[in-house]
Amino acid sequence: MDIDAFTAVHRDDWTRLDTLSVKRRLTGEEADELLELYQRTSTHLSMIRSIAPEGQLSAALSTRLSRARTRFTGAKSSFAEDIAGFFVRSLPAAFYRLRRLTLIVGAAFILVAWLYGAWVAGNPEVIKALGSDAELRRYVEEDFVNYYTENPNASFAGMVWTNNAWIAAQCVAFGVTGLWVPYIVYMNAQGVGIAGGMMAAYDRLDTFFLYILPHGLMELTAIFIAAAAGLRIFWSWVSPGPRTRLASMAAEGRSLITVALGLVLVLFLSGLVEGFVTPSELPHWLRIGIGALLLAAYWVYTLVLGKRAYDAGARGDLDRFDAGAEARTA
């Protein structure tokens, strides 16, 4: 097919479609003409995509059809509807898709952290290599707890949010490599395990959990979610299934954006807990209970609302038209 000749023959139809798509009011005849031109242009697009699916003409016709479809369907949603759709359908479905991988990443993290903790706590030589007895006692008896109280609550919450968002962003941005996510998870598990092992070696393991659990339950889960999302991007090009690698990565990438936006809120809430609840004078059971309640709320949101949205067809991706699909005509 000669693309230039094809364009010359059908340009008038496409121009007329553009004109009718932006016209404020349509007569009955013009509405019929708009629908006819839409169907005709859809056929043209199908023909073009069979020759040059990624070409400039294909993209231009897709845009024209999207504008025309919005014109004759009146498919305009309000901002409130879009926000509701995001939190009721897209986000919980995206979290639901990652539920198993999130748990697998979490289990791997806990295993690595436990192994390091047991290694540090059970080996006096390792303890000596970490610092002098005076330095370690200052850490377990003062510095560990003071970390949560040495800064004003609001600024500390903001600092925590920024730090955790940076870790999550690395998982999201470099997940496609397949190497960075395991490295980040391993290094963080190592740090938590060594800290716990040091506290255990000096009989302060109870203090470790009393100050880690209130915020850590949700904070670490958010990191596991980000890691799972990054690994899904990696797997989308390793094993794309029936789709092309480009299409598979595009779909996972759009879902990943949904997850990333959701994690902004999740990390904000866990940051508030770490900034205001962890260092507070509240009873230990209440501080841990608040963290556990936040974690439970996430899993209820994911497993109940997420499953409902997933079963209804939501995947955290854009709808098929916004993602670039076109209506087919007979």
Side-chain angles (χ1 to χ4, degrees), residues 10-23 26 30-45 60-72 326:
H10 299 292
R11 181 182 289 112
D12 290 343
D13 285 343
W14 302 339
T15 301
R16 179 59 176 167
L17 178 65
D18 288 341
T19 300
L20 293 176
S21 296
V22 299
K23 190 172 181 180
L26 297 176
E30 287 174 335
D32 291 340
E33 183 183 6
L34 175 63
L35 181 57
E36 181 181 349
L37 288 171
Y38 176 85
Q39 294 173 333
R40 191 180 304 167
T41 305
S42 293
T43 301
H44 296 162
L45 178 60
L61 289 181
S62 178
T63 300
R64 281 187 166 97
L65 288 169
S66 178
R67 186 164 52 242
R69 181 175 60 250
T70 300
R71 180 67 179 87
F72 67 71
E326 294 298 335

Side-chain angles (χ1 to χ4, degrees), residues 163-175 180 223 226 263 267:
N163 178 68
N164 292 330
W166 170 237
I167 296 174
Q170 291 180 66
C171 291
V172 168
F174 302 115
W180 192 252
I223 300 303
L263 286 179
L267 289 171

Side-chain angles (χ1 to χ4, degrees), residues 81-193:
E81 290 174 336
D82 290 338
I83 291 296
F86 176 80
F87 285 106
V88 174
R89 293 188 298 275
S90 298
L91 182 59
F95 283 158
Y96 184 79
R97 290 179 68 237
L98 298 173
R99 67 196 186 282
R100 292 192 180 93
L101 193 50
T102 297
L103 293 174
I104 291 172
V105 172
F109 181 97
I110 292 171
L111 176 61
V112 171
W114 182 84
L115 289 174
Y116 267 101
W119 177 59
V120 170
N123 291 274
E125 294 301 319
V126 175
I127 290 292
K128 291 179 181 179
L130 292 174
S132 67
D133 182 68
E135 290 173 335
L136 295 181
R137 283 190 178 279
R138 183 171 63 250
Y139 172 79
V140 301
E141 295 175 1
E142 300 176 19
D143 294 348
F144 182 81
V145 173
N146 290 342
Y147 168 75
Y148 298 99
T149 58
E150 61 187 2
N151 293 298
N153 298 94
S155 61
F156 181 60
M159 180 182 68
V160 168
W161 185 23
T162 302
N163 178 68
N164 292 330
W166 170 237
I167 296 174
Q170 291 180 66
C171 291
V172 168
F174 302 115
V176 69
T177 65
L179 300 174
W180 192 252
V181 168
Y183 172 75
I184 285 293
V185 172
Y186 175 81
M187 293 302 295
N188 279 273
Q190 180 189 60
V192 171

Side-chain angles (χ1 to χ4, degrees), residues 204-223:
R204 293 290 192 278
L205 190 60
D206 57 341
T207 302
F208 175 78
F209 284 115
L210 288 173
Y211 279 85
I212 284 290
L213 290 180
H215 62 275
L217 290 171
M218 190 66 254
E219 181 181 287
L220 290 175
T221 300
I223 300 303

Side-chain angles (χ1 to χ4, degrees), residues 215-240:
H215 62 275
L217 290 171
M218 190 66 254
E219 181 181 287
L220 290 175
T221 300
I223 300 303
F224 303 157
I225 297 166
L231 291 174
R232 283 297 294 259
I233 283 285
F234 168 69
W235 195 247
S236 71
W237 69 265
V238 171
S239 180

